[in-house]
Amino acid sequence: LDVIDLSANPYGLVVLADRREIYVSGWTSGEVLVVDLDTRTEVAVIEVGKTPQGIEFDPETGFVLVVNTDLDSLTVIDPEAREVVATLPTDPTQPDLYGGYPVETAVDEVGRRLYMAHSRENRIAVFDADTLDLLGSIPTQWYPTDVEFCADCDGGPLLLVVSAKGVGT
C-alpha cells in the first residue's frame, strides 16, 4: 500500500499512463496536482479555479479537462507544458451567471462529445469535444453528480448518469 502526501485535498484523478503521471483535482485549493508515478511524488501544481472537482483526459486532443464547480467553468490543461490552455464558462450563453454546479465530465471519443453533469440544474450539458462549443442539454433526475459514457455497453452506446437526490439513473 502506497500513500502519497499531497499539498491539497484530493477530489478526482486521471491517470496519464503514457506520461507515468496522475493528475489530481485539489478540491479546496483551486489547483491540479501532478504526481509522478515512478517517484510517487508531487512534481507540479497547476492553478485552475475555485473548487476543481471532475477531471478527465481526452486522448484525442491530449488535454486534461477540469471542472471548476464554484466558478461554473472548465479548464483545459496541456500536460506536455503543464499549463492552462483555456478556461471557459460551462454555460457560454450566461457566462457571468454562477450556480449550475457542474461537477463531472465524460468524453465520447467516437462521437466527439463532452458530457458535463450540472447538479443544481438537473441536466447534462453536451459540448463538441473538439471545439468545446455548447450543443445543448439533456434533462436528468434530481441533482446529477456523475456521468459516464459507455461506448460498448449492451444495447449500444449509453450515457450513464448518477442522480444523488433523484430516483433511478
Side-chain angles (χ1 to χ4, degrees):
L1 174 69
D2 278 344
V3 175
I4 301 169
D5 290 324
L6 299 175
S7 62
N9 293 347
Y11 183 89
L13 66 87
V14 64
V15 177
L16 280 64
D18 291 348
R19 297 183 53 80
R20 306 282 304 146
E21 293 177 337
I22 303 171
Y23 277 59
V24 181
S25 57
W27 186 46
T28 57
S29 68
E31 301 166 333
V32 168
L33 315 172
V34 182
V35 175
D36 182 289
L37 276 171
D38 296 321
T39 64
R40 305 284 204 266
T41 59
E42 187 177 308
V43 293
V45 175
I46 304 166
E47 290 189 29
V48 291
K50 191 173 180 188
T51 320
Q53 286 187 232
I55 188 164
E56 186 85 22
F57 177 68
D58 183 351
E60 180 71 25
T61 64
F63 292 136
V64 173
L65 308 170
V66 183
V67 179
N68 303 305
T69 301
D70 287 344
L71 287 179
D72 287 27
S73 66
L74 178 72
T75 296
V76 180
I77 297 173
D78 176 358
E80 291 291 326
R82 291 188 182 151
E83 65 182 29
V84 172
V85 174
T87 298
L88 311 163
T90 57
D91 187 348
T93 64
Q94 300 180 33
D96 297 325
L97 182 63
Y98 303 110
Y101 212 71
V103 291
E104 291 290 343
T105 60
V107 175
D108 168 7
E109 295 176 37
V110 176
R112 299 303 302 144
R113 296 290 184 254
L114 172 70
Y115 300 98
M116 183 182 298
H118 282 248
S119 293
R120 288 190 182 143
E121 296 174 334
N122 304 322
R123 70 182 175 106
I124 302 297
V126 182
F127 296 86
D128 180 298
D130 296 312
T131 65
L132 298 178
D133 290 335
L134 179 64
L135 302 175
S137 292
I138 301 168
T140 67
Q141 290 284 334
W142 187 16
Y143 213 81
T145 55
D146 201 358
V147 59
E148 292 294 332
F149 185 81
C150 180
D152 56 358
C153 282
D154 286 343
L158 295 175
L159 186 65
L160 307 169
V161 178
V162 175
S163 295
K165 298 180 182 181
V167 177
T169 57

